Amino acid sequence: MGAAAGRRGELLSFTVRVIRGRWFSLFASFLIMAGAGATYLFGVYSKEIKATLGYDQTTLNLLGFFKDLGANVGVLSGLIAEVTPTWFVLLIGSAMNFTGYFMIWLAVTGKISRPAVWQMCIYICIGANSQNFANTGALVTSVKNFPESRGIMLGLLKGFTGLSGAILTQIYLAVYGNDSKALILLIAWLPAALSVVFVYTIREMKVVRQTNELKIFYHFLYVSIVLALFIMVMTVVQKLVAFSQAAYAGSATVVCALLFVPLFIAIREESTLWSRNKQPHINPPQVTIDKPAEIGPKNFKPEPEMAEEGSKSCLANIFKKPERGEDYTILQALLSTDMLILFLATFCGLGSSLTAVDNLGQIGESLGYPTKTIKSFVSLLSIWNYFGRIFSGFVSETLLAKYKFPRPLMMTIVLFLSCIGLLLIAFPFQGSVYVASVIIGFSFGAQLPLIFAIISELFGLKYYSTLFNCGQLASPLGSYILNVKVTGPLYDREALRELAKKGMTRSSVKELTCIGTRCYRLAFVILASITFFGAVSSLILVARTREFYKGDIYKKFRDEADETEAEMALPISKE
């Protein structure tokens, strides 16, 4: 009886350890990020908004801009995260997600009177902005918990976000059938529910290095690749074969099962650590007696420095910047030349990519593709968005560690690749939109982990919650100028020209539609040119940071982890 009670107590203790551990926190972050990519499905449900509410392309692109504005202006979530716990940030994001998308669903289904355009803009901005709270809560916390693997961490987490569109599509087909309006309802409640369920498990923890950490991340990578390949196969099969509701349910079940495989990896790792901690004498800590003497002065050294910094005015140090890689203040980082160059490259690269993503549905329509094929384009883009994020995260980290290959140079290569995808839409041929969806999805996905990793490496992690959100502010600005002010009007101009040829006017049709290869030609030639300029500007950042990336940029974090390990081992070494 006593032995059974002891086993139950031990099982309970182990369960609590798993739930409060770093690896379960990472698993929860994967799930939250897998639901945080609803903005990438705009190309699927935007047609419903356009048809139901009678918008022209310029108005629809204005909605797309406010979506991008909400998705990328995350300064508020960053500032809130600086002064509040992670659970509070996640709860705010959950409430915003449900409110924004639920109101859009009510409008599209006619359950409320038709909202004004400005109201729809506010709804979609609020819904899209919620993903910044998920990013700040899950992504920033995970990077701080695994600072030496930040490239890999960013690639994995943003990879799940990239897959989010395809994952949600599979689930909505299983739950609601082929109903784009119901998709809006799904993205209102499901991501919100995920944040609420895992609200207390995601938090910043003290960094303790594990020798097999990289191996574990590769296990997570393999699971996510299997998930991406399965979704890609299902996307192709669903295009060729008419699926029943039961078949859609089966596909969604496999997707959900694969999403939970990382949980078993997390439990396995916590079990290994649990066994190791129960037997401290079998694996004694590799710490000599004189190690604490080395650590002692380091622990006390920062105090006078912090006191000295505190006595100085914050404004007086704005232009007195620390070395790259040290902790910049928010103003020091924002006013630095490196950040301005990165801002320009982001404006050109992400602004053009977002414009292409938002218009993908209308691009397919203008070239005469059926609705089912257009949804395949969106799913393809989502899946290759994932591969881009994974590639840039893992490959850039490997190249940096082995060959000191600078991340800004990887960014330059990705932007040049994006130019090719944009030109394939400007000058389409048979099947070119499939290739363009792959290239644009890949390059769009690859940019995000690179931008976030570069910011963390150049400006430190102290104010990362705010800085990584500030770093993507250029994206909605680029989207507004390139999408609302360039692409939308040029499309409408071509559509009006077609109407004029038929002897019709704008008032004679409810929905302004353009059919033909010229609809997007000029707009995408302009987008390709701007992306090329962004690639050239990022080369300047490569030149400026080449010496920094030649050094050991993670040495500081290794030293801190070593000190933590020594402090934890100290009581054992005294026994």
Side-chain angles (χ1 to χ4, degrees):
M1 194 78 172
R7 281 195 297 271
R8 282 198 299 271
E10 189 171 334
L11 180 61
L12 180 62
S13 299
F14 175 68
T15 303
V16 171
R17 179 191 172 95
V18 169
I19 293 173
R20 294 185 58 81
R22 275 199 311 169
W23 295 110
F24 186 84
S25 175
L26 183 58
F27 158 71
S29 298
F30 287 154
L31 287 190
I32 287 176
M33 297 303 282
T39 51
Y40 304 127
L41 287 169
F42 184 73
V44 175
Y45 65 80
S46 61
K47 188 85 173 85
E48 294 288 348
I49 295 175
K50 187 178 181 182
T52 307
L53 302 178
Y55 291 160
D56 59 19
Q57 190 61 34
T58 301
T59 306
L60 190 66
N61 282 4
L62 182 65
L63 271 185
F65 159 70
F66 274 94
K67 170 192 67 79
D68 296 335
L69 180 71
N72 292 284
V73 180
V75 178
L76 178 63
S77 64
L79 292 173
I80 290 173
E82 300 287 358
V83 295
T84 62
T86 305
W87 63 263
F88 185 73
V89 175
L90 290 172
L91 280 181
I92 292 176
S94 177
M96 290 174 66
N97 184 89
F98 182 78
T99 301
Y101 286 112
F102 188 66
M103 292 304 294
I104 294 171
W105 177 75
L106 291 175
V108 170
T109 54
K111 297 185 184 297
I112 57 173
S113 58
R114 176 180 166 175
V117 173
W118 67 266
Q119 289 175 305
M120 287 294 290
C121 290
I122 290 173
Y123 296 154
I124 201 164
C125 188
I126 290 172
N129 192 247
S130 67
Q131 81 174 39
N132 288 302
F133 287 84
N135 274 338
T136 304
L139 187 146
V140 174
T141 304
S142 296
V143 169
K144 289 183 177 181
N145 286 340
F146 299 92
E148 289 184 56
S149 306
R150 69 187 69 178
I152 291 170
M153 183 60 52
L154 286 164
L156 272 173
L157 288 167
K158 296 304 289 183
F160 275 100
T161 308
L163 277 180
S164 178
I167 291 170
L168 290 171
T169 299
Q170 293 296 317
I171 294 172
Y172 110 83
L173 287 171
V175 177
Y176 298 108
N178 198 7
D179 178 6
S180 297
K181 291 179 183 177
L183 174 60
I184 303 172
L185 179 61
L186 180 73
I187 61 181
W189 69 262
L190 183 57
L194 286 171
S195 290
V196 170
V197 169
F198 294 109
V199 71
Y200 286 116
T201 59
I202 298 174
R203 68 196 190 286
E204 196 173 334
M205 304 175 202
K206 205 163 188 177
V207 176
V208 180
R209 293 170 67 202
Q210 281 183 241
T211 54
N212 65 334
E213 201 170 272
L214 183 61
K215 184 180 178 182
I216 301 166
F217 286 133
Y218 272 101
H219 291 167
F220 288 132
L221 171 65
Y222 301 147
V223 172
S224 67
I225 288 174
V226 170
L227 175 62
L229 291 174
F230 176 78
I231 293 175
M232 188 161 64
V233 169
M234 284 298 102
T235 300
V236 173
V237 172
Q238 286 164 5
K239 179 177 176 291
L240 299 174
V241 180
F243 264 46
S244 64
Q245 195 70 16
Y248 280 129
S251 173
T253 302
V254 175
V255 167
C256 292
L258 288 171
L259 280 172
F260 275 84
V261 171
L263 172 60
F264 297 103
I265 298 174
I267 293 172
R268 182 195 69 193
E269 291 309 312
E270 290 296 346
S271 176
T272 302
L273 292 172
W274 173 267
S275 301
R276 193 175 299 164
N277 288 344
K278 284 173 65 180
Q279 301 171 341
H281 298 291
I282 294 177
N283 295 303
Q286 297 179 352
V287 182
T288 58
I289 296 298
D290 61 338
K291 187 74 174 177
E294 294 174 13
I295 294 167
K298 291 182 182 178
N299 286 342
F300 292 96
K301 191 175 179 181
E303 292 182 6
E305 291 177 3
M306 290 169 64
E308 187 181 342
E309 284 180 14
S311 65
K312 295 179 182 177
S313 166
C314 178
L315 294 175
N317 288 327
I318 289 177
F319 298 105
K320 190 178 178 182
K321 298 180 179 65
E323 294 291 318
R324 288 189 181 98
E326 297 300 320
D327 290 323
Y328 280 55
T329 66
I330 294 171
L331 288 176
Q332 282 175 339
L334 293 181
L335 296 175
S336 69
T337 306
D338 290 345
M339 182 65 92
L340 292 176
I341 295 170
L342 194 58
F343 189 90
L344 180 61
T346 305
F347 172 90
C348 298
L350 282 183
S352 298
S353 296
L354 277 170
T355 300
V357 170
D358 287 348
N359 285 276
L360 192 59
Q362 281 69 43
I363 291 166
E365 183 185 41
S366 70
L367 296 174
Y369 289 100
T371 302
K372 203 170 184 181
T373 304
I374 291 170
K375 289 181 180 177
S376 297
F377 293 152
V378 175
S379 288
L380 268 178
L381 187 140
S382 179
I383 292 161
W384 283 93
N385 185 0
Y386 155 80
F387 281 118
R389 292 165 190 235
I390 288 294
F391 178 87
S392 67
F394 276 80
V395 173
S396 70
E397 192 75 32
T398 303
L399 292 176
L400 178 64
K402 287 189 176 181
Y403 308 108
K404 306 294 183 184
F405 189 90
R407 269 192 241 268
L409 184 54
M410 176 77 79
M411 177 84 167
T412 304
I413 295 168
V414 165
L415 290 176
F416 281 129
L417 177 65
S418 183
C419 293
I420 298 171
L422 296 169
L423 288 173
L424 284 174
I425 291 176
F427 303 99
F429 52 85
Q430 185 66 34
S432 66
V433 183
Y434 285 100
V435 181
S437 298
V438 169
I439 293 175
I440 291 171
F442 181 88
S443 58
F444 177 45
Q447 289 174 61
L448 289 164
L450 290 172
I451 292 165
F452 295 157
I454 291 167
I455 289 171
S456 74
E457 287 162 355
L458 297 183
F459 308 115
L461 291 177
K462 187 174 182 181
Y463 298 104
Y464 186 53
S465 293
T466 302
L467 289 179
F468 106 99
N469 282 307
C470 289
Q472 58 182 358
L473 280 174
S475 181
L477 179 62
S479 172
Y480 177 74
I481 293 173
L482 301 176
N483 197 1
V484 179
K485 295 299 183 183
V486 176
T487 305
L490 288 174
Y491 175 95
D492 287 341
R493 189 181 74 178
E494 289 295 331
L496 289 169
R497 190 176 294 170
E498 280 190 9
L499 282 177
K501 287 178 183 177
K502 298 175 184 176
M504 302 168 69
T505 61
R506 173 68 183 95
S507 58
S508 59
V509 292
K510 182 182 178 182
E511 182 184 345
L512 190 60
T513 305
C514 177
I515 304 295
T517 59
R518 296 188 61 83
C519 297
Y520 282 100
R521 176 163 295 169
L522 179 58
F524 273 75
V525 168
I526 293 171
L527 293 180
S529 303
I530 289 170
T531 304
F532 183 83
F533 176 75
V536 172
S537 67
S538 72
L539 278 175
I540 300 171
L541 188 62
V542 174
R544 287 177 57 85
T545 59
R546 67 183 185 278
E547 292 301 325
F548 169 70
Y549 278 102
K550 283 180 182 176
D552 187 354
I553 65 174
Y554 292 155
K555 184 179 185 300
K556 178 176 72 172
F557 299 101
R558 280 199 299 275
D559 290 344
E560 289 175 0
D562 288 342
E563 289 182 14
T564 301
E565 287 176 9
E567 288 170 6
M568 293 175 70
L570 195 54
I572 297 172
S573 61
K574 284 180 178 179
E575 286 177 3

